[in-house]
């Protein structure tokens, strides 16, 4: 049997990119998947793709910064499908509007708008999903972890396998970059909130984890790199990764699916980097190792150039 059969999942920002691949992965693993997104056209396309691959999905149109979206998507799961097992909080408009220099270059309104999608949405989604998960109880077909097999136990087994929440952070939540104060602070806060919720809801059988992807070539980023039309600039990115490639949305989707499965019952509060080793390497060595490549490719260009990240300007 598929490992998520009988479960109901919500994936925010599931119309495209990482969320799109995650919605497909969870549906392929047997979960009925509710894609929550602002983009109706791409949402419908992803649902059709899932259905043509034999999965079950639907689109719930909504803006995750609004509380009515959080209540509505959870109500959709509970009233139409009778349960909620998985919440993947991934929505964020990548490439739109959070690049304003340091804190001196971003005004309060933009800061709040960024925090609203980066952090408020994660709070709101969890606030309304947790009671629904608790009401749903253990998912059907969950491979209950044997209790009493190891160690010394007293009393009834604790609630297990009740719900799974996976929040999308970033390597920007682990390592900080110049020019993106709201994004970096928001993604670090997602990790903090994930850890707090893991502690808070672990006793009720819900696990809460975060994922920190490296550079993932989504449909949008593929287009940006194609427009840049500078293969050496792209190679510069690949060379920064110990595995010598950037990521695919499926790489992240596979990690999410694992954290949502029975196999991950004893994993909570962690931030899983899915970054080809990017966040574990020593930076000063990397810079020195890349020196020759940079010197040999005088016309290097990346789309980061347009976001004003040339350190000589600061
Ligand atoms: N692509 C990367 O390299 C990368 C790296 C690290 C982390 N991430 C994180 O992964 C997540 C997904 O990134 P992506 O590159 O796939 O993004 P994307 O822009 O390709 O897709 C994001 C989806 O979210 C939806 N969305 C945006 N704002 C929304 C809102 N307010 N309400 C509902 N839906 C909304 C968009 O319509 C879109 O379908 C984000 O949280 C991002 O910060 C991405």
């Amino acid at each position: 049997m598929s490992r998520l059969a009988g479960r109901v999942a919500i994936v925010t920002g599931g119309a495209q990119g990482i969320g799109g691949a995650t919605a497909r992965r969870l549906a392929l693993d047997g979960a009925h998947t509710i894609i929550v997104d602002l983009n109706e056209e791409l949402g419908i396309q992803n649902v059709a793709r899932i259905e043509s691959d034999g999965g079950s999905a639907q689109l719930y149109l909504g803006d995750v910064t609004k509380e009515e979206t959080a209540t509505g998507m959870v109500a959709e799961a509970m009233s139409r499908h009778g349960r909620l097992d998985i919440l993947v909080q991934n929505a964020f408009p990548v490439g739109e509007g959070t690049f304003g220099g340091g804190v001196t270059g971003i005004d309060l309104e933009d800061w709040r708008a960024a925090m609203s999608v980066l952090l408020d949405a994660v709070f709101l989604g969890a606030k309304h999903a947790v009671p629904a998960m608790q009401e749903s109880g253990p998912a059907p077909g969950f491979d209950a972890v044997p209790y009493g097999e190891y160690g010394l136990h007293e009393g009834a087994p604790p609630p297990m396998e009740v719900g799974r929440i996976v929040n999308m952070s970033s390597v920007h939540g682990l390592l900080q970059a110049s020019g993106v104060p709201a994004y970096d602070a928001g993604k670090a806060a997602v990790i903090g909130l994930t850890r707090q919720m893991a502690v808070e809801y672990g006793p009720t059988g819900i696990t809460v984890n975060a994922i920190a992807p490296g550079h993932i070539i989504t449909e949008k980023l593929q287009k940006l790199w194609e427009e840049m039309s500078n293969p050496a600039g792209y190679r510069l990115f690949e060379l920064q990764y110990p595995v010598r490639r950037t990521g695919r949305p499926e790489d992240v989707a596979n990690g999410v699916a694992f954290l949502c499965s029975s196999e991950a019952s004893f994993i909570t509060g962690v931030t899983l980097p899915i970054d080809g080793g990017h966040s574990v390497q020593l930076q000063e060595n990397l810079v020195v190792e890349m020196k020759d490549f940079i010197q040999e490719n005088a016309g290097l260009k990346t789309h980061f150039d347009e976001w004003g990240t040339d350190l000589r300007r600061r």
Side-chain angles (χ1 to χ4, degrees):
M1 194 164 88
S2 314
R3 66 178 168 172
L4 301 181
R7 287 172 224 186
V8 177
I10 290 175
V11 180
T12 72
Q16 61 183 317
I18 292 172
T22 300
R24 293 192 292 279
R25 174 79 252 170
L26 298 183
L28 200 73
D29 280 347
H32 172 76
T33 304
I34 301 172
I35 290 172
V36 178
D37 209 292
L38 288 167
N39 192 321
E40 186 169 17
E41 192 188 343
L42 294 181
I44 288 172
Q45 280 176 23
N46 206 24
V47 167
R49 187 169 164 189
I50 288 170
E51 286 174 343
S52 78
D53 289 342
S56 171
Q58 70 182 91
L59 173 64
Y60 183 89
L61 267 186
D63 177 347
V64 292
T65 65
K66 308 261 187 277
E67 189 157 16
E68 70 212 34
T69 300
T71 54
M73 69 192 191
V74 171
E76 180 72 13
M78 296 301 281
S79 63
R80 278 193 50 184
H81 306 284
R83 57 181 307 108
L84 177 63
D85 303 287
I86 293 167
L87 172 66
V88 182
Q89 308 215 76
N90 160 84
F92 179 77
V94 163
E96 293 167 36
T98 47
F99 296 88
V103 291
T104 54
I106 183 165
D107 63 31
L108 184 58
E109 203 184 324
D110 289 342
W111 172 268
R112 285 190 174 146
M115 283 303 159
S116 142
V117 64
L118 286 162
L119 190 58
D120 297 1
V122 176
F123 153 71
L124 286 172
K127 177 178 167 63
H128 294 286
V130 164
M133 288 174 173
Q134 290 170 337
E135 188 187 326
S136 303
F142 240 136
D143 227 358
V145 178
Y147 181 76
E149 199 172 331
Y150 303 102
L152 299 170
H153 302 273
E154 270 185 42
M160 286 185 275
E161 315 284 10
V162 171
R164 297 279 194 260
I165 298 177
V166 178
N167 299 321
M168 205 55 70
S169 180
S170 167
V171 285
H172 282 264
L174 301 170
L175 302 166
Q176 309 305 298
S178 59
V180 283
Y183 190 70
D184 285 20
K187 288 301 190 186
V190 166
I191 292 174
L193 182 58
T194 297
R195 292 161 62 120
Q196 195 285 333
M197 291 196 296
V199 172
E200 189 82 44
Y201 300 114
T204 73
I206 297 174
T207 66
V208 189
N209 293 293
I211 294 208
H215 194 71
I216 307 296
I217 307 297
T218 57
E219 300 89 326
K220 255 190 208 173
L221 290 182
Q222 173 80 27
K223 196 158 163 273
L224 279 180
W225 279 114
E226 278 167 7
E227 282 165 8
M228 193 50 62
S229 180
N230 189 273
Y234 181 57
R235 187 72 188 137
L236 179 73
F237 256 68
E238 291 189 310
L239 289 174
Q240 294 171 54
Y241 285 77
V243 298
R244 296 294 184 265
R245 70 171 177 90
T246 53
R248 301 163 303 149
E250 292 75 14
D251 293 320
V252 182
N254 290 337
V256 175
F258 167 67
L259 290 174
C260 292
S261 72
S262 297
E263 289 95 329
S265 280
F266 201 52
I267 302 175
T268 195
V270 305
T271 298
L272 176 66
I274 299 187
D275 68 348
H278 188 262
S279 58
V280 297
Q281 71 189 323
L282 193 60
Q283 293 162 27
E284 57 193 23
N285 284 57
L286 175 67
V287 171
V288 172
E289 281 165 20
M290 293 190 75
K291 175 171 61 62
D292 291 344
F293 179 80
I294 292 169
Q295 282 172 348
E296 283 158 17
N297 291 278
L300 279 179
K301 273 199 295 184
T302 79
H303 51 270
F304 279 64
D305 298 339
E306 290 166 15
W307 295 337
T309 49
D310 181 347
L311 64 87
R312 287 164 305 183
R313 273 189 245 139
R314 279 193 289 273

